[in-house]
Amino acid sequence: MLNREELFAAIGEIDDELVLPVLERLEEERERPRLRVTRKAVRVALIAAAIAALLAVTAAASGVLGLKSRLVPAETPAETADPRLPERRDHISLNGLAGSDEYLACSEWLSFCDYYEEQMARECLAAGKEAEAWKDSFHSFAGNQAEKDICRIYGAWDETMFKRLLEISDRYDLRLLTDITYAPSQSYLFETTGLSPYIRGVEHYDYNLGSFLFEDGSFKDESTLSVNGEQYAYTLTCIHAGVLYPFSLDIPAGAQCREWEHISPEGITLDMALFDNEGINDLKIFCNSDDMYVTLSLRWSGGTAEEAYARAELLADCFDFAVLCGE
């Protein structure tokens, strides 16, 4: 995996023709009347766009379209970190690969949220208030229930955030998800999405109520399974193309990462990223079809590096990615 220094050094080697069109569009946006945080947010968006252009070339050349093509980097804070403020981390986009409209919209939205929420929290703390005092949890600024539902799903806590969200989705011509439904059972999830069962070869499976789905069939399944006497909690997201997805994954801070490709029993190429975070193994598995982006996360502790590698491949084969990708 490239580290932060290698990523930013590589940006300087990108052909201007790949990056300039994106930079010009973002620069036009910066000239429009906006928030005082927009200049910072645009700078991070420019970095993300440059990395996207780089990755679109290097990933294609090397055959690797894994973590690197989904990375949304966080900028190091200019000010001293305040423990009362959320820690900044790099994000993983859950739909769209580097250079796609889904990826660019996700990068811009996440960057904006990071800076805007931090700024508002700092202003509240400076005024002697709680860091989250600025948030309107009732979304009273929304014009109707449909807008409130969107704000609730995307974490738009005031009118400024909501307007920014609408601008981004409009610019990249992406749909906003408007309805989230908790899936009370596995059968309900399968019936609603039209999927066949996608877990196999496990000793036990517990479907948890943390699972939900959206109106377009995109969904998240948070459950547990048992393999060789060990229990694993997992998070599976399957997101259709053409939407601005409201959530992302964080990369474990300071963790070492090993990446490789694994071929599933159905012949699906899986991009594997295994983080070693102080003895905690954090596995991310990526694959996608033309219409679906699939991300699977599992965590466990203990074992040598080679044991963790073997276990990662064993766990990957417990999921039928041909079903998940609609192939």
Side-chain angles (χ1 to χ4, degrees):
M1 176 181 174
L2 295 176
N3 60 34
R4 186 183 301 273
E5 290 73 21
E6 291 170 330
L7 280 171
F8 284 96
I11 290 173
E13 302 300 323
I14 304 172
D15 190 331
D16 289 346
E17 292 183 2
L18 295 173
V19 183
L20 285 176
V22 179
L23 300 187
E24 288 171 357
R25 180 166 61 175
L26 289 172
E27 188 65 26
E28 289 172 1
E29 287 300 314
R30 189 175 70 177
E31 296 304 321
R32 296 170 58 185
R34 290 198 185 280
L35 299 168
R36 54 188 177 279
V37 297
T38 301
R39 191 169 299 273
K40 285 185 176 180
V42 166
R43 184 168 63 250
V44 175
L46 296 181
I47 293 171
I51 291 176
L54 166 68
L55 295 174
V57 176
T58 58
S62 64
V64 177
L65 285 173
L67 179 65
K68 300 178 184 69
S69 65
R70 296 166 171 85
L71 177 65
V72 180
E75 184 177 301
T76 304
E79 303 177 46
T80 303
D82 187 322
R84 294 170 295 179
L85 299 174
E87 179 185 358
R88 292 188 188 177
R89 291 192 178 186
D90 295 336
H91 299 285
I92 299 174
S93 171
L94 295 178
N95 75 322
L97 300 176
S100 69
D101 286 339
E102 290 91 345
Y103 173 89
L104 293 171
C106 174
S107 299
E108 188 172 340
W109 173 242
L110 291 175
S111 298
F112 171 78
C113 289
D114 284 347
Y115 281 109
Y116 185 72
E117 291 189 19
E118 180 176 312
Q119 175 186 287
M120 297 302 292
R122 288 186 184 279
E123 290 181 1
C124 286
L125 292 173
K129 302 177 182 179
E130 294 292 327
E132 297 189 350
W134 65 277
K135 293 184 177 181
D136 181 353
S137 58
F138 295 102
H139 306 108
S140 58
F141 53 88
N144 51 52
Q145 186 58 48
E147 291 184 354
K148 288 186 178 182
D149 290 340
I150 292 174
C151 292
R152 176 172 55 87
I153 291 171
Y154 285 86
W157 298 109
D158 66 6
E159 186 174 9
T160 297
M161 294 189 75
F162 181 48
K163 287 183 176 179
R164 183 63 170 168
L165 176 64
L166 295 178
E167 290 173 1
I168 294 172
S169 65
D170 181 65
R171 183 181 320 118
Y172 293 99
D173 194 25
L174 298 175
R175 301 187 308 276
L176 292 177
L177 296 167
T178 60
D179 184 56
I180 184 171
T181 303
Y182 287 94
S185 66
Q186 185 184 49
S187 60
Y188 180 88
L189 181 65
F190 292 154
E191 179 181 352
T192 306
T193 60
L195 292 176
S196 303
Y198 46 76
I199 295 178
R200 66 215 170 167
V202 301
E203 298 154 8
H204 186 66
Y205 169 71
D206 284 324
Y207 181 82
N208 296 343
L209 295 182
S211 303
F212 58 78
L213 51 91
F214 294 97
E215 72 273 11
D216 71 337
S218 299
F219 70 91
K220 182 182 80 167
D221 174 10
E222 280 191 322
S223 302
T224 57
L225 50 80
S226 297
V227 180
N228 293 343
E230 298 288 338
Q231 189 174 64
Y232 303 88
Y234 71 83
T235 300
L236 170 70
T237 60
C238 295
I239 314 302
H240 284 290
V243 302
L244 174 54
Y245 190 63
F247 309 117
S248 66
L249 292 177
D250 291 337
I251 295 179
Q256 297 296 314
C257 180
R258 178 178 182 178
E259 290 189 73
W260 73 99
E261 287 186 351
H262 173 66
I263 307 301
S264 76
E266 304 77 34
I268 304 296
T269 299
L270 307 179
D271 294 312
M272 313 277 282
L274 180 60
F275 293 90
D276 180 0
N277 189 17
E278 298 182 350
I280 302 297
N281 299 292
D282 190 342
L283 174 65
K284 313 294 185 189
I285 303 175
F286 309 102
C287 70
N288 62 275
S289 61
D290 290 340
D291 181 59
M292 186 71 77
Y293 294 90
V294 179
T295 305
L296 175 64
S297 300
L298 301 105
R299 299 182 71 193
W300 69 92
S301 60
T304 66
E306 288 308 309
E307 288 171 342
Y309 175 87
R311 190 177 304 191
E313 297 206 325
L314 173 67
L315 292 172
D317 289 345
C318 293
F319 293 80
D320 190 332
F321 286 92
V323 169
L324 294 170
C325 289
E327 298 186 357

